[in-house]
Amino acid sequence: MQKKLTRSTTNKTICGVCAGIARYFDLDPTVIRLAWTLGTLLSVGLGLIGYIAAALIIPEDNCPTV
């Protein structure tokens, strides 16, 4: 079965980007959220631009899996 990167519609805090990435790599979404926040703080806000771009580019999950 081929994995597909999508934004989560069930486990989202803002747009579901981090939860979708966590599901794709089979990780805990909290780890991805903390890493993204740390990256945003260390890059003086570039992570925020990346998050917005990812929210616009990555399609939303139409069939959530439980």
Side-chain angles (χ1 to χ4, degrees), residues 23-41:
R23 183 176 50 217
Y24 184 79
F25 289 110
D26 197 28
L27 296 170
D28 184 22
T30 305
V31 173
I32 301 298
R33 289 179 181 123
L34 288 173
W36 203 299
T37 302
L38 183 62
T40 299
L41 293 174

Side-chain angles (χ1 to χ4, degrees), residues 34-65:
L34 288 173
W36 203 299
T37 302
L38 183 62
T40 299
L41 293 174
L42 292 176
S43 67
V44 193
L46 290 177
L48 182 61
I49 294 170
Y51 189 90
I52 293 169
L56 294 172
I57 295 170
I58 298 173
E60 192 172 71
D61 184 16
N62 294 329
C63 301
T65 57

Side-chain angles (χ1 to χ4, degrees), residues 11-29:
N11 185 12
K12 63 182 183 178
T13 301
I14 299 175
C15 291
V17 172
C18 292
I21 292 171
R23 183 176 50 217
Y24 184 79
F25 289 110
D26 197 28
L27 296 170
D28 184 22

